[in-house]
Amino acid sequence: MFTRRRRASPVAALALVLAAATGCTSTSGAEPSGTSAASGAPSVSGAPATSGAPSGSAGAPAASVARVCDKAAPGPATAPAGAVTVDPAVVGDLAAKTESSPPHTTFWLRPGTHRLEPDAYAQVMAKEGNRYLGAPGAVLDGRKTNQYAFGGTARDVTIRFLTVQGFVAPNNEGVVNHDMADGWVIEHATIQYNSGAGLMAGARQRLRASCLRGNGQYGMNAYKTGDSIRGLVVEGNEVVGNNTDDWERREPGCGCTGGIKFWAVDGADVRGNWVHDNRGAGLWADTNNNDFLFEGNVLEANDGAALMYETSYNAIIRNNTIRGNNRVEGRESARGDDFPYATVYVSEAGGEPRVPARTDKIEIYRNTLENNWNGITLWENADRFCNSPANTSTDYCTLLVKDTARCAPPAIATAPLYADCRWKTQRVEIHHNRFVLDASVAGCAAECGRMAVIANSGSSPDWSPYRGERVPEAITRRQGNRWYDNVYNGPWSFAAGDPGGKLDSRQWQGPPYRQDAGSTFAPRAGG
């Protein structure tokens, strides 16, 4: 799933269905356990439990765990004053009463299972400012018939205390906020066991204290057709067991899986979430995202990377607990592949002062990474740039060059296009983190426990100005990528320039790389 060998745009199908309707369906099948296979259930408050964790933390995270899927907050037991009551015994009552009521109406869904009309495109077409409140036990269930639950372009819709399940949205589409309207608030909701994505996103969307569980593709697909999403908040949610349909195996190289996918989001706070046991990546920001804060999250036991930040800009990643990730994909990749598949993977992404954000770097600090397959990989594909065949973000260019056609010879070989036509892994600072590896716990041997700053040799197309060793040399020595003041416990190794290289800590710290100044190394976990 890494960019050196993938992928078509993960959102191509969305443009086909913007006017489609929404519905719900019940699903059967085993639910996720709600605890991580890697380390058991985390603590409910304070820092997550780390049984047997070594001492000597370089800034222990203060991440609280959003354990909400099995502890859903109850909604109002009686209808609020002025609310329209929705009867679960009447099929289609919620959609019909929404249609007949004015904007800014509050709806209270009685306890029980609510259904839409038995049509694939039956849906609730929300109106501006509507509020949907579920009573204790209120479920909107599409019965594997309806594709979408809540749609329409109305702004500032609120959904609280409601379980939405069993929808059959197509690949790359979502069940809640299907049409990516702006200003929606989803709080104390459970969105589970649907096909496609549990929900989509619009500008100023707030997703708080909700459970995104067991959805077929993503828990949330933060993508808005033809536009960027500005001002997204994802806070205090549990994101567990998503991508049950295993899309990467069904469509190899699609890059279309994980707990949450972000695409062209400008300004996002992702705080205090528990993202675990997802098939594929936990959190994946892919293509022209900017100004992200990932803070206080617990990311664990995801099959792939805990966090991917790809072809994007300017992010702060701090005070997260990241453990037990990437073991499934790492083990698979170890069979004849020496690429250091990462737990935190920064791919063609970096700090850029010309793109406004709260930082002009990618800053990764005060995190604890424990018993993952690998550590942090900074990667840059020398053949991936605007207008190149390797640019798998089809038809997209960097935020510095709006017109992809400008990135062509002869102009691309000269300033400013030589620099601006490619996404660069630059200005990444990795410091005051704690990296712990017990290979017996991670289930690996010499093939795991790697940290890397690497690129391939440029080779195509034949007009590329980046052929040869230009990009490996730049990412390693000239683009301001620095590790320093970290704590290492366990058998860590390092790669610089060449993906297949293997350096020990002395080589990593010495010339010509001079990484991890001020860092400490103990060869055994707990040392």
Side-chain angles (χ1 to χ4, degrees), residues 297-364:
N297 302 287
V298 176
L299 312 175
E300 63 179 328
N302 298 289
D303 285 1
L307 171 61
M308 295 177 65
Y309 205 69
E310 178 180 357
T311 54
S312 294
Y313 302 87
N314 301 328
I316 297 169
I317 303 168
R318 69 187 179 200
N319 295 331
N320 301 285
T321 296
I322 303 171
R323 60 191 178 197
N325 297 281
N326 207 34
R327 295 181 186 175
V328 173
E329 292 186 357
R331 190 171 294 110
E332 291 175 352
S333 70
R335 302 186 185 106
D337 189 345
D338 59 6
F339 188 85
Y341 288 86
T343 294
V344 175
Y345 183 58
V346 179
S347 175
E348 297 94 22
E352 176 49 73
R354 291 173 291 172
V355 178
R358 74 195 85 184
T359 179
D360 59 7
K361 303 174 183 177
I362 292 181
E363 302 176 87
I364 304 173

Side-chain angles (χ1 to χ4, degrees), residues 31-35 44 65-74 162-163 165 188-193 208-215 219 236-242 273-278:
E31 299 182 5
S33 67
T35 61
V44 176
V65 172
R67 189 173 181 175
V68 298
C69 285
D70 295 327
K71 296 185 177 182
L162 182 63
T163 294
Q165 66 183 32
H188 302 292
T190 298
I191 303 174
Q192 62 184 7
Y193 313 135
R208 293 191 177 104
S210 292
C211 169
L212 308 182
R213 173 167 56 185
N215 295 289
N237 305 285
E238 184 173 351
V239 183
V240 53
N242 295 287
N273 303 283
W274 184 21
V275 182
H276 63 105
D277 295 283
N278 295 284

